[in-house]
Amino acid sequence: MRRLRILVLMRPDLVPPDSTDGYTTRQINEWKTEYDVVSTLREAGHDVRPLGVQEEIKPLRDAIEDFKPHVVFTLLEQFHYEPVYDQHVASFLELMKVPYTGCNPRGLILARGKDLSKTLVHHRRIAVPAFAVFPMRRKVRRPARLALPLIVKSLNEDGSRGISQASVVDTDEKLAERVAFIHEQIGTAAIAEQYIEGRELYVGVLGNSRLRVLPVWELKFGTMGDQGARLIATEKVKHDPSYQERVGIVDGPAKNLAPEVYARIQRTAKRIYRTLGLDGYARIDFRLSADGTPYFIEANPNPEIAKSQEFATAAQHDGLDYLALLHRILTLGISRAKTGVSAG
């Protein structure tokens, strides 16, 4: 790839240092994606400028006019401290006619709401857990069709925020308590969905119109279930390196899947990606039940792409090394801007 001017957007507190020397594993874990993207693209010879963006759009506009980037690599998952505002940054970049990586605004909106994405996907006859939404400041009444146990989450937060062992509830009293926790501590509506006992599978998808589906990846919970814990991707499971090491939580290629089940999961991931109008790159999350049914849990446009994260390791397993992956993501953003066509 030719030498590019690349503006990399991130939260101001995640702008990485030039080196990881002297930092603890926990500190590095905070900004590992930002560090990996910036350092890898710099080593490849690109002119890379990180920019912390949070409350004001003017620094972004100024950087575009001053730096004149060929492409913006966006690692933002929120704006103005609101995850649902990330689509507005993508919209702003479109209005500025600057190519950017990752998903288009429409896809970000459709994927962000767990209720909307499940409704659209279910309409395409793809299995989804039964669910109900509990808005803020409303009395919690479980619909008769929704059988316990349930897992309670924020309606639109990602990264497992607010998810713990207490998220799985088996009584109406616990359901009301957990919904209240989401409302008060996370500050969003809650979604309660049928708890699917089974394997946690992730499928990465790359592309705008022509799609590349990465190998099916599995989050393996180690000894977590030995004391009766539910095997779910809690905040600790996702983000606490010492807990991951202690319990033996790893991710890797999904083994012992029948070929027809494996093919069905990959095919379903592609259908979901198209249904939600996604482009650039995304990770589709499933729970695989004992009878071999892959239940769609959620879609994650612009997922974490640190070298050690499942998207990058699955790409590596598929013959796409880390630099090649980043170059592919850049190329997809640039080519979309040239054609003016988003997925869907």
Side-chain angles (χ1 to χ4, degrees), residues 157-179:
E157 286 280 355
D158 56 16
S160 291
R161 185 163 178 237
I163 298 179
S164 70
Q165 286 295 314
S167 299
V168 180
V169 299
D170 52 14
T171 68
D172 286 325
E173 291 73 25
K174 288 180 180 174
L175 170 62
E177 286 172 14
R178 199 63 194 177
V179 168

Side-chain angles (χ1 to χ4, degrees), residues 176-241:
E177 286 172 14
R178 199 63 194 177
V179 168
F181 171 85
I182 296 295
H183 289 173
E184 293 161 14
Q185 300 300 317
I186 309 299
T188 70
I191 183 170
E193 60 189 45
Q194 171 193 2
Y195 174 66
I196 307 295
E197 193 81 56
R199 298 168 68 176
E200 181 98 359
L201 302 179
Y202 304 137
V203 184
V205 183
L206 270 167
N208 295 340
S209 51
R210 293 177 58 204
L211 304 184
R212 176 172 180 168
V213 183
L214 299 180
V216 180
W217 226 239
E218 181 169 9
L219 182 63
K220 296 160 188 170
F221 294 95
T223 61
M224 188 173 150
D226 289 357
Q227 276 74 49
R230 303 275 192 175
L231 303 184
I232 57 174
T234 63
E235 280 192 87
K236 282 175 76 73
V237 166
K238 282 280 192 178
H239 303 297
D240 187 336

Side-chain angles (χ1 to χ4, degrees), residues 231-299:
L231 303 184
I232 57 174
T234 63
E235 280 192 87
K236 282 175 76 73
V237 166
K238 282 280 192 178
H239 303 297
D240 187 336
S242 59
Y243 179 76
Q244 292 164 355
E245 191 174 333
R246 187 168 73 251
V247 180
I249 291 164
V250 295
D251 61 74
K255 305 269 179 67
N256 305 317
L257 287 177
E260 62 273 16
V261 173
Y262 196 100
R264 180 185 175 192
I265 292 167
Q266 286 193 313
R267 194 168 59 246
T268 302
K270 192 186 287 190
R271 286 179 62 207
I272 291 167
Y273 192 92
R274 293 197 192 283
T275 297
L276 299 178
L278 305 180
D279 59 3
Y281 62 107
R283 193 190 73 229
I284 313 297
D285 297 357
F286 296 94
R287 291 284 282 197
L288 184 69
S289 65
D291 68 0
T293 302
Y295 284 86
F296 167 65
I297 301 302
E298 64 185 45

